[in-house]
Amino acid sequence: RGIMVPQGADIVALPLEFSTLRSLQDFHRRFVLGDSAAFLVDDLWCAMFYFLRGKEVRSFREDVIARGLETIYTRTANASVEALMDLEGTARRDRAMLQCFQGLLHRLLAASDGLAFGGEMAVMRLRRLAQEVHQADRRIDELSRWLSQGAASCDSRLVHQAEQELG
């Protein structure tokens, strides 16, 4: 949905200056606290905070694979005990991510004049993200409608391309 979400179960590294920590606490208190979906997908709301602060989230997956590794940690038996990936219903990871993202976006847009932790640039990034999300949602709706309205009679490459795009 337009932002890179770090996997906190892997590794997240950032400089923790006092002002960043205070801003993160304020962000949590104002936009996250009380949101049950955000509780489940803390990596998403942290990613939104980094995004609004103008911090880049990067994946080092290719570096890990290039070293012949699958992960950079040792998986323990506890990793799959009540794991988020095994939850169902609204707590299922994909549903929680979408609910959290939509809720955060709505709350942040409603308070965009008060984004003290990122200033005017945060407001600009937030509005640009909201526009990109709106365009992506519209494209998903168009493709879904096209596929459901008998796309089977079309060139199979086009159907395959649409299905890939919806992924």
Side-chain angles (χ1 to χ4, degrees):
R1 291 223 150 223
I3 60 174
M4 170 72 90
V5 177
Q7 292 293 302
D10 295 337
I11 288 184
V12 175
L14 67 147
L16 277 183
E17 297 121 7
F18 184 71
S19 63
T20 301
L21 185 55
R22 181 178 288 166
S23 294
L24 183 63
Q25 289 173 321
D26 183 47
F27 180 84
H28 181 271
R29 183 183 46 76
R30 291 180 62 200
F31 303 108
V32 177
L33 192 63
D35 183 330
S36 60
F39 175 80
L40 294 171
V41 290
D42 55 333
D43 46 357
L44 174 60
W45 68 259
C46 287
M48 184 67 84
F49 173 78
Y50 305 145
F51 172 77
L52 293 173
R53 292 278 297 213
K55 304 294 182 189
E56 180 183 1
V57 173
R58 292 186 18 213
S59 171
F60 291 96
R61 182 87 184 125
E62 280 74 30
D63 297 330
V64 172
I65 291 171
R67 293 180 181 196
L69 302 170
E70 178 64 28
T71 62
I72 57 173
Y73 56 89
T74 302
R75 191 170 183 86
T76 66
N78 290 337
S80 57
V81 175
E82 295 185 22
L84 181 58
M85 64 186 175
D86 296 331
L87 297 178
E88 297 178 358
T90 58
R92 198 174 79 186
R93 183 171 178 78
D94 60 334
R95 292 178 181 158
M97 289 287 274
L98 186 57
Q99 181 182 347
C100 177
F101 183 86
Q102 290 172 331
L104 270 175
L105 191 59
H106 176 77
R107 289 186 298 275
L108 287 161
L109 285 168
S112 63
D113 60 331
L115 297 182
F117 50 84
E120 192 58 37
M121 292 302 294
V123 174
M124 289 173 49
R125 282 189 284 276
L126 180 64
R127 290 183 179 150
R128 187 175 59 244
L129 177 63
Q131 183 179 20
E132 290 170 5
V133 167
H134 178 70
Q135 290 170 346
D137 286 344
R138 199 170 61 223
R139 180 70 174 151
I140 289 168
D141 290 343
E142 288 171 0
L143 289 171
S144 297
R145 202 169 32 256
W146 181 73
L147 286 169
S148 69
Q149 293 175 348
S153 63
C154 295
D155 182 344
S156 64
R157 289 175 304 178
L158 294 174
V159 173
H160 180 69
Q161 182 180 350
E163 288 171 340
Q164 290 292 95
E165 193 173 333
L166 286 172

